[in-house]
Amino acid sequence: MEEIRALVKEHYGLKVLECREIGSRTMLVTDRGVQYLYSCPAVYRYKKKFMEKVQKHLGQHCEYGLLPVTKTVDGQRYVLQDDEMYFLQLGVREAALLEPAFEIGQALARFHLGTAGFTGERLFYPYRSLGNWPSMWRKKLRQYSGYRDEMDVGGGFTPFDEYLLTTYTYVHHIGELSVQYLLDSGYHQVVKDTADFGKIAYQNFDEGYLLFADNGTRYFAGEWSWVIDMRARDVGQWIKTDVRKNGWNEERIGQFLDGYNSVSALSGEEYAIIYSLLLYPGRFLKIVETYRALSPEERESIDFSDWRDMLDEELIQMESGLRNYPAFVAARYGAALPPIEWLWRTADEETERIYDEKSSS
């Protein structure tokens, strides 16, 4: 947090008195009021025209406000530091929600409906993921396999290299399974069928992008993270983030989906697409990609125990969600999903298998 305090002081002239992470935003209490700090890859700064077009469309079709961006002391809308882009948005006096998951679901559905008539996608192809999930996921899995092959040839393993090797079979298998399940669920047809319910999503949606003011006004934020994609992306990412944070909490996830469905009902096919997204080990592969970009010297000097613990926890937490989700949506929403038998082994056999392999390596 000291780095954040220094960045905000240097570029915005604000003194940070308190800071707290809430999903993708960091709430900053400063000497001039509350601000929200967001970050994203530096390359997102080229999204300006795309963002402006989406903002104009939402202004005409959605009752929500957009949080103003706080400019730096030099009059800029963001700060670039290394490969990251940081920006501040003005804070609000937030309401205490009785059923936060339900209201987030409702608000997200209204945001999506507000983007349904968005046009001009072809002008912004670099920011379009719509229809591209299978190819994107396969590309990431090929890169993961390539790194495993490099380790087999190169030798000189770090402890984290050894961890990646012991978990490779499980992670790669579940990744391949996610792609096949996506295709078997009629992904490309669902993309076409759901275009009337929303065309803009977030890169990785969580509670940090929706704000509820105590005067009843609702705001969205973090617009540099917008992409052209189907609404199932945001629904699935919220569930993944919640499972990662809280474990499989059926009541909370049900409230979120109930809130969403109360505004714009999800189809049975969309529940299957969401399940494919839950299966896909995107965060795991992203961390491997980050690790792969480090120099040998950087790898030797970093303690990766925190990374290893985080990935261990994610594999275990997500497996619980993967086992429970199909029966849950079938019972609550009547969505019958094809089962994947090996995910229903008792006593966490799959997780135990991972650790058995580790201990024998």
Side-chain angles (χ1 to χ4, degrees):
M1 290 299 184
E2 289 306 315
E3 292 181 1
I4 290 176
R5 294 174 187 270
L7 181 146
V8 172
K9 180 65 176 177
E10 177 183 356
H11 295 282
Y12 293 91
L14 300 175
K15 182 179 180 181
V16 177
L17 307 175
E18 179 185 342
C19 49
R20 178 163 58 96
E21 289 187 6
I22 305 173
S24 294
R25 77 179 186 265
T26 301
M27 185 181 75
L28 306 177
V29 179
T30 77
D31 55 349
R32 281 182 275 167
V34 174
Q35 301 277 343
Y36 303 125
L37 176 70
Y38 294 89
S39 68
C40 57
V43 70
Y44 285 13
R45 67 187 183 275
Y46 299 116
K47 284 186 173 183
K48 181 180 178 183
K49 289 184 178 179
F50 168 62
M51 285 167 39
E52 289 175 346
K53 186 171 176 63
V54 177
Q55 288 170 1
K56 182 178 179 180
H57 182 86
L58 282 168
Q60 298 169 345
H61 298 90
C62 185
E63 72 273 22
Y64 292 177
L66 177 65
L67 288 182
V69 172
T70 301
K71 292 188 177 181
T72 68
V73 293
D74 297 327
Q76 302 301 311
R77 292 170 58 84
Y78 54 78
V79 174
L80 297 177
Q81 188 165 293
D82 298 324
D83 293 327
E84 284 292 299
M85 171 180 156
Y86 297 88
F87 57 99
L88 285 182
Q89 293 189 266
L90 187 64
V92 299
R93 188 184 296 275
E94 296 184 42
L97 304 179
L98 294 177
E99 295 183 314
F102 184 89
E103 296 197 48
I104 290 171
Q106 279 190 324
L108 180 60
R110 292 194 175 105
F111 168 76
H112 288 153
L113 287 176
T115 71
F118 181 77
T119 58
E121 300 102 305
R122 293 183 181 180
L123 300 176
F124 305 107
Y125 187 79
Y127 317 124
R128 177 186 170 94
S129 299
L130 194 65
N132 296 334
W133 291 15
S135 59
M136 292 190 304
W137 292 4
R138 282 171 171 154
K139 180 180 178 181
K140 294 296 184 183
L141 289 167
R142 285 196 301 270
Q143 292 172 342
Y144 182 45
S145 297
Y147 182 59
R148 195 279 303 268
D149 294 341
E150 288 175 12
M151 286 192 288
D152 284 345
V153 173
F157 299 148
T158 68
F160 197 67
D161 289 329
E162 294 178 1
Y163 172 82
L164 294 179
L165 285 172
T166 58
T167 55
Y168 173 82
T169 300
Y170 174 75
V171 173
H172 191 270
H173 177 63
I174 202 170
E176 291 285 357
L177 183 63
S178 68
V179 176
Q180 191 59 52
Y181 202 94
L182 186 69
L183 296 173
D184 291 346
S185 301
Y187 168 73
H188 293 291
Q189 186 60 46
V190 177
V191 168
K192 296 176 183 178
D193 293 344
T194 59
D196 291 340
F197 305 111
K199 290 185 179 178
I200 304 298
Y202 279 87
Q203 190 74 24
N204 292 293
F205 179 76
D206 62 31
E207 62 182 309
Y209 293 116
L210 285 172
L211 289 304
F212 301 83
D214 61 1
N215 65 0
T217 307
R218 297 179 178 186
Y219 298 89
F220 49 88
E223 57 266 36
W224 269 283
S225 291
W226 286 340
V227 293
I228 299 170
D229 210 340
M230 63 197 305
R231 60 180 185 170
R233 176 178 184 147
D234 283 343
V235 175
Q237 290 290 7
W238 186 92
I239 294 173
K240 287 186 86 162
T241 300
D242 197 70
V243 172
R244 192 179 291 133
K245 182 178 178 182
N246 302 309
W248 176 256
N249 186 327
E250 192 165 292
E251 183 56 33
R252 179 172 161 83
I253 291 169
Q255 287 179 359
F256 169 73
L257 291 172
D258 288 350
Y260 195 99
N261 284 315
S262 71
V263 174
S264 182
L266 295 163
S267 68
E269 292 79 8
E270 285 178 288
Y271 285 108
I273 299 300
I274 291 166
Y275 190 48
S276 302
L277 184 59
L278 300 183
L279 282 165
Y280 178 63
R283 191 178 186 217
F284 191 104
L285 297 178
K286 179 64 177 177
I287 291 176
V288 173
E289 184 179 343
T290 301
Y291 172 71
R292 188 180 185 184
L294 298 175
S295 68
E297 293 75 17
E298 288 173 320
R299 293 179 191 174
E300 291 293 339
S301 63
I302 293 178
D303 181 2
F304 289 106
S305 59
D306 289 342
W307 286 22
R308 187 171 57 246
D309 292 345
M310 176 178 61
L311 293 177
D312 268 349
E313 184 176 358
E314 174 151 345
L315 292 177
I316 296 169
Q317 293 279 61
M318 286 310 302
E319 192 171 296
S320 174
L322 295 176
R323 286 199 309 273
N324 289 290
Y325 176 85
F328 165 70
V329 297
R332 192 156 180 152
Y333 306 108
L337 307 187
I340 302 173
E341 296 300 336
W342 65 267
L343 287 172
W344 278 263
R345 298 178 182 181
T346 59
D348 286 334
E349 288 174 6
E350 194 63 44
T351 303
E352 290 176 2
R353 179 191 61 74
I354 294 173
Y355 289 99
D356 287 344
E357 289 183 1
K358 286 183 184 180
S359 63
S360 61
S361 61

